[in-house]
Amino acid sequence: MSGWRRASVAVSLAALAGVVLRIRGIGGAPPQSGGWRELSGDEMR
């Protein structure tokens, strides 16, 4: 039973860390440039 308890504590701590990181916004901003562009005839091949 001790193994199950350790595993559940580890999963809980990982989930808590993920929630904290998501709330604080750590992980970088999405790119502000780039994206889709039209292809010319040569690039479609």
Side-chain angles (χ1 to χ4, degrees):
M1 196 63 168
S2 176
W4 285 104
R5 184 172 292 164
R6 277 190 204 158
S8 65
V9 168
V11 169
S12 299
L13 288 176
L16 180 63
V19 167
V20 168
L21 290 176
R22 182 172 293 270
I23 290 174
R24 291 196 55 207
I26 295 176
Q32 300 297 315
S33 64
W36 295 95
R37 64 179 177 85
E38 281 192 48
L39 297 176
S40 66
D42 293 336
E43 293 174 325
M44 290 187 178
R45 294 181 190 167

